Amino acid sequence: MIEALKQLEQQAQQEASTLSDPGRLQETKLKYLGRKGLFASVSARIGEVSAQDKPLAGQEMNRVKRELERIFAEAERALSGPSSSSAAGVDVTMPGTFPPCGSLHPLTQVVREISSIFRGLGYSIADGPEVESEYYNFEALNIPLDHPARDGFDTFYLQDGKLLRSQTSTVQIRVMEKSRPPIKVIAPGRVFRPDATDATHSFVFHQLEGLFIDRGVSFAHLKGTLFTFAQSFFGPGTRIRFRPSFFPFTEPSAEMDIWSDKRGGWLEVLGSGMVHPNVLRKAGIDPEKYTGFAFGVGVERMAMMKYGVEDIRQFYENDVRFLRQFS
Ligand code: DAH
């Protein structure tokens, strides 16, 4: 019987080493170790062994059983482990194939970056509708129907007397109507103008509006805030200057330029000013008690300056070769 056990062990060893298919391996394992398998039938012969030889035969039975289990466990590991895959021509240490993955649009990134700078200065984010009334786009902003300044902010009119907002300054009014000073908000969003498209114009683009109203807010606060913004966005040491300008909703008004070494000149980046008393009054805020400043940044323009983009249309064409540079 001991001989038969030893033979069984050898036979199993041989057979297991030739198997390459997990299904066949299970069958073979059952053939040896199953309840009616070869090991069971050889072991049954223990009854025929003399009392004297029994202890030795018992020991051998145990040893061979453990050995068979080890043989099949090892064969299973070999079939599911990495070395067998590489034998099958698959290198599991290779990087996987990644599903194509999008990233934030450069304009979204710029809006988020500007927003985070102003959040750091205590501003919260406000929002307003893109379909607006004439009141919010013009009248409340101190632009009467017959005022020539309307031309600069002209827009698309809808059939019901509504229009597509031509500036995010509309949100200033909506916020002032709803809340009391101190007010400190920015409002990023889409605006529309009937401009012919070229390298620097698009009939839809993005602005980011800012508004700060409180007691004693002065032009010095405006300058300090926008200086800090320019340093954070374009880098420390960025030179800025303010040029007198005109907007119906601010008095005085100024445009801010930043210096560009690359172009050897000043570039206009935003419009700003002290909120006009008429605007405060219309929105229900007493201009004798409160003052404030406002500004409006062109998001595309900021992105073009920061990243050296020459043509505004690249932001809208969805060419992944362009977009991938910002991922
Ligand atoms: N709304 C102006 C525009 O679209 C930009 C602007 C200028 C916004 C001055 C302001 C401001 O808030 O104070 O050109």
Side-chain angles (χ1 to χ4, degrees):
M1 178 194 166
I2 290 180
E3 235 358 85
L5 283 168
K6 285 208 164 99
Q7 232 173 29
L8 197 63
E9 179 188 346
Q10 264 181 16
Q11 197 186 324
Q13 179 82 64
Q14 222 175 28
E15 212 169 317
S17 68
T18 62
L19 291 174
S20 59
D21 169 60
R24 292 268 298 126
L25 177 63
Q26 288 310 315
E27 276 172 30
T28 313
K29 185 178 169 183
L30 274 179
K31 182 172 106 189
Y32 283 90
L33 286 169
R35 244 160 26 92
K36 293 183 182 158
L38 292 171
F39 177 76
S41 72
V42 175
S43 302
R45 281 155 53 187
I46 188 97
E48 301 160 13
V49 175
S50 66
Q52 193 195 353
D53 290 340
K54 240 178 204 152
L56 200 66
Q59 261 179 29
E60 189 62 7
M61 248 170 73
N62 287 337
R63 189 191 66 77
V64 170
K65 176 144 197 233
R66 273 199 307 275
E67 188 57 23
L68 289 178
E69 278 163 354
R70 193 196 59 77
I71 287 168
F72 287 106
E74 195 158 281
E76 271 166 20
R77 234 186 345 259
L79 274 192
S80 63
S83 55
S84 75
S85 310
S86 76
V90 178
D91 181 354
V92 295
T93 64
M94 289 250 292
T97 40
F98 295 94
C101 187
S103 59
L104 291 178
H105 192 277
L107 294 178
T108 305
Q109 290 183 32
V110 165
V111 165
R112 290 197 179 185
E113 189 181 346
I114 300 175
S115 301
S116 108
I117 293 169
F118 281 100
R119 272 209 308 275
L121 295 172
Y123 287 72
S124 44
I125 315 266
D127 199 7
E130 290 172 359
V131 173
E132 262 294 7
S133 65
E134 265 195 296
Y135 179 76
Y136 287 105
N137 201 62
F138 294 116
E139 260 117 270
L141 288 162
N142 204 30
I143 315 175
L145 200 56
D146 54 0
H147 198 286
R150 270 215 188 194
D151 294 352
F153 302 109
D154 215 355
T155 182
F156 298 98
Y157 291 84
L158 306 174
Q159 265 153 4
D160 55 2
K162 297 255 169 131
L163 48 76
L164 299 181
R165 68 176 177 194
S166 59
Q167 45 185 341
T168 45
S169 305
T170 52
V171 186
Q172 286 187 38
I173 309 298
R174 290 181 169 276
V175 171
M176 284 192 279
E177 282 177 350
K178 277 200 313 247
S179 42
R180 294 297 92 196
I183 292 171
K184 230 176 165 184
V185 292
I186 53 168
R190 216 166 5 180
V191 299
F192 308 82
R193 297 203 188 162
D195 288 339
T197 303
D198 63 23
T200 55
H201 292 87
S202 163
F203 56 87
V204 43
F205 58 101
H206 300 78
Q207 290 185 329
L208 186 138
E209 196 80 9
L211 178 70
F212 178 26
I213 311 271
D214 202 353
R215 288 178 197 269
V217 176
S218 74
F219 203 92
H221 296 121
L222 184 161
K223 280 183 91 168
T225 301
L226 295 180
F227 175 80
T228 304
F229 164 56
Q231 306 307 305
S232 311
F233 188 79
F234 290 110
T238 300
R239 291 171 63 203
I240 63 165
R241 77 171 181 190
F242 285 87
R243 249 180 321 102
S245 181
F246 172 77
F247 298 101
F249 33 90
T250 45
E251 181 60 34
S253 306
E255 274 163 331
M256 187 174 91
D257 299 340
I258 64 160
W259 176 261
S260 162
D261 276 336
K262 204 169 127 211
R263 301 198 188 200
W266 292 99
L267 298 172
E268 184 203 321
V269 296
L270 58 84
S272 65
M274 301 304 294
V275 179
H276 197 292
N278 288 350
V279 174
L280 292 173
R281 215 175 283 123
K282 274 215 178 79
I285 291 174
D286 183 355
E288 298 297 327
K289 267 209 224 148
Y290 296 106
T291 52
F293 65 76
F295 55 90
V297 185
V299 174
E300 278 81 351
R301 173 169 281 221
M302 298 297 272
M304 288 168 86
M305 281 160 113
K306 183 152 177 160
Y307 298 115
V309 175
E310 300 283 338
D311 194 320
I312 197 171
R313 288 168 289 200
Q314 294 196 285
F315 290 122
Y316 314 120
E317 282 167 351
N318 277 336
D319 185 336
V320 289
R321 292 168 302 176
F322 172 74
L323 296 174
R324 216 174 260 145
Q325 299 174 88
F326 302 90
S327 64

